[in-house]
Amino acid sequence: MNYDQMFQEALDGLHADGSYRYFADLERRAGRFPKAFHHGLGQEVTVWCSNDYLGMGQNKAVLDAMHAALDETGAGAGGTRNISGTNHYHVELEKELAALHGKEAALLFNSGYLSNWVTLGTIAGRLKECVVLSDALNHASMIEGIRHSRAEKQIFRHNDVEDLERRLQALPADVPKIIAFESVYSMDGDIAPIEAFCDLADRYGAMTYLDEVHAVGMYGEQGGGIAEKLGLSHRLTIIEGTLGKGFGVVGGYIAASAPLCDFVRSFGSGFIFSTALPPMIAAGALASVRYLRDNAAEREGQQHAVAHLRAALDAKSIPHVGNPSHIVPVMVGDAQLCRELSDALLRRFGHYIQPINYPTVPRGTERLRITPGPLHDDGMIDELVEALDTLWREYQLRRTNGL
């Protein structure tokens, strides 16, 4: 059998429908973000789609902490957390994350994907007859964790409180239940009705699992996410977050009760058998969390940039999804056109925005997902919108004052 031919035919299908993913060969330059050197073009470009939302990957406190920890501890952790891999920086970071969310404990993972996959897979898989009620737009890592658990799964309509309650009402009172959802959804930028979901959890005896990966660092007085901003952290059973977006480093975590974190630590194979994050990574993340708990300038700068971008897009009637978050999706609605616009922005104007196509979003909702941050100044934003306006005129695209 010609296996490579099978692989190539599948790839050809992605090329044909415009959903093939290209990687940009970028080199971030310390002190220059959101500028980066594009090796494919041989020139500097402005990055508009980074998940380093606050530019903390360039923050001096973070870099200094990582340099110091590298000199102190060396490059790697040397093992799993169970076998010599637990460094003091891991312990301190878990304490800091627990304090950030007002929880008894926290557990550190190598990525946000892994934290979702291991935690949901372990808890739902080991609680007898557990039922997971999962929002229809949950991230792939949550879906995979639930699937891995082999627990019963029910998918409720996105952010639909009534549909969720109907499903909860139909379940036996003595069956363990988990309501799994996100705070900020990364493609549309909408926000879950967290308080209403907590009310249902209390009424029907369910646990709540909140993915805050697109909110930690950026919302709340200390950067604890949407739940902190709304004063709801104490009502969530589990808060899951990432260290690779708002905090600018890498890694994932959960914050919850001490018994729950210990349960996942003791039974979660994806945690048990993973080599621990390098201590210098933990040190950098620790510095970032501490910095953002004490400083609001980055959050305020991001909010200004988002407001300025939305106003500039509205002035040119360029369609974008209105939402209360920092994610600004400029809607295109066609995969091939989305790729062409992205290429033109990059090659002609020096603006890098990765096109978002199926399967990340449904067909017909393809978009340019823009994430302005505190290091994007007003001049950069105005230049981007002028470039978009030029392309909208050249391609004779439909305009609207927002969606």
Side-chain angles (χ1 to χ4, degrees), residues 316 318 337 340-345 347-349 385-399:
K316 298 293 186 180
I318 295 173
L337 179 57
E340 290 181 22
L341 290 171
S342 173
D343 287 345
L345 282 169
R347 297 179 183 280
R348 290 173 53 187
F349 301 100
V385 174
E386 285 299 322
L388 287 168
D389 181 53
T390 297
L391 294 175
W392 248 249
R393 282 187 282 104
E394 291 179 1
Y395 282 82
Q396 298 182 330
L397 297 177
R398 181 176 67 88
R399 293 175 184 259

Side-chain angles (χ1 to χ4, degrees), residues 42-56:
Q43 68 180 53
E44 191 174 67
V45 299
T46 305
V47 178
W48 292 96
C49 53
S50 174
N51 283 344
D52 184 0
Y53 292 130
L54 300 177
M56 291 301 293

Side-chain angles (χ1 to χ4, degrees), residues 116-118 120-121 140-150:
N116 274 334
W117 184 81
V118 173
L120 284 167
S141 57
M142 301 174 76
I143 295 169
E144 289 295 333
I146 297 165
R147 180 182 296 132
H148 176 71
S149 76
R150 299 186 180 179

Side-chain angles (χ1 to χ4, degrees), residues 22-161:
Y22 296 88
F23 289 173
D25 186 358
L26 298 172
E27 182 180 341
R28 284 160 56 106
R29 299 282 177 84
R32 293 282 294 159
F33 188 78
K35 300 291 185 179
F37 187 79
H38 193 297
H39 282 269
L41 296 180
Q43 68 180 53
E44 191 174 67
V45 299
T46 305
V47 178
W48 292 96
C49 53
S50 174
N51 283 344
D52 184 0
Y53 292 130
L54 300 177
M56 291 301 293
Q58 307 291 312
N59 184 278
K60 186 176 185 301
V62 174
L63 299 183
D64 287 349
M66 294 183 74
H67 281 296
L70 177 62
D71 290 339
E72 292 168 4
T73 68
T80 65
R81 290 290 299 276
N82 186 52
I83 304 177
S84 80
T86 295
N87 186 275
H88 188 59
Y89 286 113
H90 300 121
V91 176
E92 289 299 302
L93 176 55
E94 287 173 339
K95 290 179 181 177
E96 194 73 25
L97 291 167
L100 172 67
H101 295 291
K103 299 297 184 184
E104 286 184 327
L107 190 64
L108 184 62
F109 295 83
N110 289 14
S111 70
Y113 193 106
L114 194 63
S115 55
N116 274 334
W117 184 81
V118 173
T119 304
L120 284 167
T122 301
I123 293 176
R126 286 188 167 266
L127 287 181
K128 187 177 181 181
E129 298 181 346
C130 184
V131 178
V132 184
L133 299 108
S134 177
D135 187 283
L137 294 188
N138 277 343
H139 190 264
S141 57
M142 301 174 76
I143 295 169
E144 289 295 333
I146 297 165
R147 180 182 296 132
H148 176 71
S149 76
R150 299 186 180 179
E152 180 184 339
K153 172 185 66 177
Q154 294 193 26
I155 300 173
F156 63 90
R157 289 193 294 270
H158 177 53
N159 282 348
D160 192 322
V161 177

Side-chain angles (χ1 to χ4, degrees), residues 44-378:
E44 191 174 67
V45 299
T46 305
V47 178
W48 292 96
C49 53
S50 174
N51 283 344
D52 184 0
Y53 292 130
L54 300 177
M56 291 301 293
Q58 307 291 312
N59 184 278
K60 186 176 185 301
V62 174
L63 299 183
D64 287 349
M66 294 183 74
H67 281 296
L70 177 62
D71 290 339
E72 292 168 4
T73 68
T80 65
R81 290 290 299 276
N82 186 52
I83 304 177
S84 80
T86 295
N87 186 275
H88 188 59
Y89 286 113
H90 300 121
V91 176
E92 289 299 302
L93 176 55
E94 287 173 339
K95 290 179 181 177
E96 194 73 25
L97 291 167
L100 172 67
H101 295 291
K103 299 297 184 184
E104 286 184 327
L107 190 64
L108 184 62
F109 295 83
N110 289 14
S111 70
Y113 193 106
L114 194 63
S115 55
N116 274 334
W117 184 81
V118 173
T119 304
L120 284 167
T122 301
I123 293 176
R126 286 188 167 266
L127 287 181
K128 187 177 181 181
E129 298 181 346
C130 184
V131 178
V132 184
L133 299 108
S134 177
D135 187 283
L137 294 188
N138 277 343
H139 190 264
S141 57
M142 301 174 76
I143 295 169
E144 289 295 333
I146 297 165
R147 180 182 296 132
H148 176 71
S149 76
R150 299 186 180 179
E152 180 184 339
K153 172 185 66 177
Q154 294 193 26
I155 300 173
F156 63 90
R157 289 193 294 270
H158 177 53
N159 282 348
D160 192 322
V161 177
E162 292 182 0
D163 186 39
L164 175 58
E165 182 163 24
R166 281 194 296 270
R167 294 174 181 277
L168 286 165
Q169 284 176 334
L171 294 172
D174 60 350
V175 165
K177 310 166 192 72
I178 303 172
I179 304 170
F181 58 103
E182 301 181 38
S183 57
V184 177
Y185 285 84
S186 63
M187 290 299 114
D188 289 334
D190 55 334
I191 294 176
I194 300 174
E195 185 171 18
F197 286 170
C198 288
D199 290 342
L200 291 180
D202 292 345
R203 190 174 306 150
Y204 295 100
M207 291 185 287
T208 47
Y209 184 100
L210 176 62
D211 177 319
E212 288 257 45
V213 297
H214 292 280
V216 289
M218 293 167 286
Y219 300 91
E221 289 188 9
Q222 299 182 81
I226 299 294
E228 187 209 351
K229 178 182 178 181
L230 299 177
L232 297 171
S233 297
H234 65 288
R235 300 189 64 189
L236 280 305
T237 311
I238 306 166
I239 296 175
E240 184 268 347
T242 182
L243 302 166
K245 294 182 171 64
F247 294 123
V249 191
V250 70
Y253 65 91
I254 58 169
S257 69
L260 190 151
C261 288
D262 200 12
F263 180 85
V264 176
R265 183 191 72 87
S266 300
F267 292 104
S269 63
F271 173 84
I272 294 169
F273 297 105
S274 290
T275 296
L277 284 171
M280 65 177 179
I281 297 295
L286 176 61
S288 184
V289 174
R290 286 176 172 168
Y291 177 92
L292 288 172
R293 290 187 72 187
D294 292 335
N295 295 277
E298 283 73 16
R299 287 188 285 276
E300 293 168 357
Q302 181 189 55
Q303 292 161 13
H304 170 83
V306 171
H308 187 85
L309 173 61
R310 289 191 182 279
L313 291 170
D314 285 341
K316 298 293 186 180
S317 296
I318 295 173
H320 61 100
V321 175
N323 62 53
S325 77
H326 58 284
I327 295 166
V328 184
V330 171
M331 303 306 290
V332 178
D334 177 88
Q336 191 60 44
L337 179 57
C338 200
R339 164 56 60 187
E340 290 181 22
L341 290 171
S342 173
D343 287 345
L345 282 169
L346 179 64
R347 297 179 183 280
R348 290 173 53 187
F349 301 100
H351 297 297
Y352 171 59
I353 308 174
Q354 182 72 11
I356 305 296
N357 294 335
Y358 178 85
T360 304
V361 295
R363 297 185 194 279
T365 68
E366 292 82 3
R367 65 199 64 185
L368 300 172
R369 176 182 177 273
I370 306 175
T371 55
L375 299 179
H376 292 100
D377 61 35
D378 290 355

